[in-house]
Amino acid sequence: MTQRRGEKPTISIQEHMAIDVCPGPIQPIKQISDYFPRYPRGLPPTAPPALGRAGSLRSSASAGRSPEGPATPADNLRSDDDDLDRAFGASSASAFLPPSKKEEEPDVEGYDSDDSTTLGTLEFSLLYDQENNALHCTINKAKGLKPMDHNGLSDPYVKLHLLPGASKANKLRTKTLRNTLNPVWSETLTYYGITDEDMVRKTLRISVCDEDKFRHNEFIGETRIPLKKLKPNQTKNFYNCLEKQLPIDKTDDKSLEERGRIMISLKYSSQKCGLVVGIIRCAHLAAMDANGFSDPYVKTYLKPDENKKSKHKTAVKKKTLNPEFNEEFFYEIKYTELSKKTLEVTVWDYDIGKSNDFIGGVSLGINANGERLKHWFDCLKNKDKKIERWHTLTNELPGSGFND
């Protein structure tokens, strides 16, 4: 490319980016790594020359140059750059890469975010109503929950389980509160059919979860309270830190054999000369349908029943494991004949278009034992007095009550 006199030379953008700002021949711009050289592992850097010896560096460099002619200004600038390179390179290497000490780095793989991140705290209270066989769980509020959503918040709710036991049958949960890390529920959840035996061997598991509409709900944290810590008819307050999810041991889970609980009332009416049987409610029934629920109803028989007229049936309660019936049935019978009779109560799951599923049953009478026998005797001893008791349903029941 020819250049006329008086015209300024044109420089392309590529050449401009490669030109050093210093006057003289075109030189590539040095990178920052040139001023901080890396040394091979195991080789200590050479002794750094001091910045004050730049003049000696320049003199030694000029001495080593061939004596063909005097040094040009460009040569002087280049030697200055070389001096600075040597000085900064050596000093920075000694400052940032000490030979006797290696820089420590955190173990990223072994780092667990939950070890240093709090899951939050939960405030709640528990009350065991011994007279009514009920456990009242009041969930007050939570503070500082771990964010689970992209907006830095969560949609928390609380669910309860009694352990050991089937989770579907005894699960209770609060409402969901949206977009908060400090939810206030002030909600009371109640377990019915809780006996003194349950208070000794069962544990209440309280879990806080984040609800997601388009995917599975996420676990935040939990706390567990052995029910033996509670005193009857005394409210106990808790303020617990949430913990990681713990495994559930099902090896010695005796309650898995249970099919639920039923509350029955018995009263012999001397005025009507008959037995009044009340089916009040059921709790923690076994789930028989694919949706995790059942459509339960209850049948009662007073046996032996020669005429087969003692069958009574409650209404069907849809999609529940804790139905309330509050229905009474009357059996006309003499008081002296009650000692020869057995009351069979069975719980069934109603299905359309196929045979109904047996959930569980219980027998009350002279041939029974434990609480079932005691309930029958209390009815015989106390005429005109309604006696209510909770009973455990089992999957084995003698007689023809299995045929619906």
Side-chain angles (χ1 to χ4, degrees):
M1 178 179 177
T2 59
Q3 179 179 350
R4 299 179 183 178
R5 287 187 178 181
E7 289 184 354
K8 295 182 179 179
T10 57
I11 302 175
S12 65
I13 187 64
Q14 290 82 0
E15 293 176 323
H16 178 74
M17 295 298 295
I19 293 178
D20 198 333
V21 294
C22 297
I26 297 177
Q27 297 179 357
I29 298 177
K30 296 184 180 298
Q31 299 180 359
I32 190 66
S33 60
D34 294 337
Y35 295 97
F36 300 93
R38 295 182 178 271
Y39 294 94
R41 293 183 178 273
L43 296 179
T46 57
L51 288 177
R53 297 175 59 188
S56 62
L57 288 173
R58 187 183 297 113
S59 63
S60 62
S62 60
R65 195 179 297 122
S66 60
E68 293 180 356
T72 62
D75 294 336
N76 293 333
L77 290 172
R78 188 181 298 108
S79 64
D80 290 341
D81 290 343
D82 295 339
D83 295 342
L84 289 175
D85 290 350
R86 294 189 188 95
F88 277 104
S91 62
S92 60
S94 61
F96 294 100
L97 294 174
S100 60
K101 190 174 182 181
K102 186 181 293 185
E103 185 178 358
E104 297 181 359
E105 296 182 358
D107 184 9
V108 179
E109 294 182 358
Y111 177 77
D112 191 351
S113 60
D114 285 343
D115 290 340
S116 59
T117 304
T118 178
L119 300 176
T121 57
L122 182 66
E123 183 178 335
F124 59 96
S125 62
L126 302 177
L127 170 63
Y128 173 49
D129 186 353
Q130 190 176 30
E131 182 179 356
N132 297 315
N133 296 102
L135 176 63
H136 303 287
C137 312
T138 301
I139 308 299
N140 295 321
K141 59 185 178 179
K143 286 185 178 180
L145 294 181
K146 181 180 178 180
M148 305 300 291
D149 297 337
H150 295 297
N151 59 2
L153 301 173
S154 295
D155 302 322
Y157 67 93
V158 177
K159 62 180 180 180
L160 309 180
H161 291 97
L162 279 177
L163 303 175
S167 61
K168 285 282 187 181
N170 57 37
K171 181 179 74 172
L172 300 176
R173 62 164 286 175
T174 66
K175 59 187 177 182
T176 301
L177 300 181
R178 302 291 177 185
N179 297 325
T180 178
L181 299 179
N182 301 285
V184 179
W185 288 283
S186 299
E187 198 170 336
T188 299
L189 307 175
T190 302
Y191 281 105
Y192 295 98
I194 302 298
T195 62
D196 292 340
E197 181 185 358
D198 294 329
M199 297 300 295
V200 173
R201 68 185 185 93
K202 285 189 176 280
T203 297
L204 179 64
R205 177 191 181 195
I206 306 178
S207 306
V208 182
C209 300
D210 170 60
E211 183 178 286
D212 287 323
K213 291 184 178 180
F214 304 106
R215 55 180 180 175
H216 292 294
N217 297 340
E218 295 179 293
F219 176 85
I220 298 178
E222 70 170 34
T223 184
R224 299 187 184 187
I225 305 297
L227 297 185
K228 60 185 178 182
K229 290 185 176 182
L230 304 180
K231 295 181 179 179
N233 305 316
Q234 292 185 15
T235 301
K236 187 168 184 179
N237 298 314
F238 296 88
Y239 189 79
N240 290 11
C241 293
L242 298 177
E243 301 175 355
K244 295 179 182 179
Q245 191 169 11
L246 301 175
I248 299 175
D249 186 13
K250 296 184 179 181
T251 54
D252 299 329
D253 196 351
K254 297 180 181 179
S255 67
L256 292 179
E257 302 173 0
E258 300 177 2
R259 310 288 288 183
R261 308 283 177 87
I262 185 169
M263 190 177 192
I264 302 173
S265 67
L266 298 177
K267 182 181 76 170
Y268 184 81
S269 175
S270 58
Q271 185 177 3
K272 296 181 179 180
C273 295
L275 177 67
V276 181
V277 178
I279 305 299
I280 301 174
R281 68 189 306 158
C282 294
H284 323 323
L285 293 180
M288 307 302 291
D289 296 336
N291 59 7
F293 294 96
S294 295
D295 301 321
Y297 67 95
V298 180
K299 293 193 305 178
T300 63
Y301 295 87
L302 191 60
K303 296 185 175 182
D305 182 18
E306 297 177 357
N307 299 325
K308 298 183 179 181
K309 294 182 179 179
S310 68
K311 175 182 174 181
H312 289 284
K313 185 189 300 185
T314 67
V316 177
K317 301 296 181 180
K318 294 289 185 180
K319 198 178 179 181
T320 178
L321 301 177
N322 300 278
E324 293 187 32
F325 298 101
N326 295 316
E327 298 186 34
E328 290 185 344
F329 306 118
F330 179 75
Y331 292 99
E332 186 176 352
I333 185 175
K334 294 180 181 179
Y335 178 76
T336 55
E337 296 180 359
L338 276 180
S339 58
K340 304 175 183 179
K341 296 289 185 178
T342 297
L343 179 67
E344 289 186 0
V345 181
T346 56
V347 184
W348 298 81
D349 169 54
Y350 178 75
D351 289 323
I352 300 176
K354 58 180 181 178
S355 59
N356 299 329
D357 298 321
F358 174 72
I359 297 179
V362 62
S363 295
L364 306 179
I366 296 298
N367 297 324
N369 51 35
E371 286 294 327
R372 295 171 291 173
L373 178 61
K374 186 175 183 299
H375 192 187
W376 191 255
F377 272 135
D378 288 344
C379 173
L380 297 180
K381 291 179 184 178
N382 302 280
K383 292 183 180 180
D384 300 314
K385 182 180 179 180
K386 181 184 290 187
I387 309 295
E388 296 180 351
R389 291 282 193 280
W390 280 96
H391 297 284
T392 300
L393 298 173
T394 62
N395 54 2
E396 294 182 0
L397 180 64
S400 59
F402 279 57
N403 300 321
D404 188 25

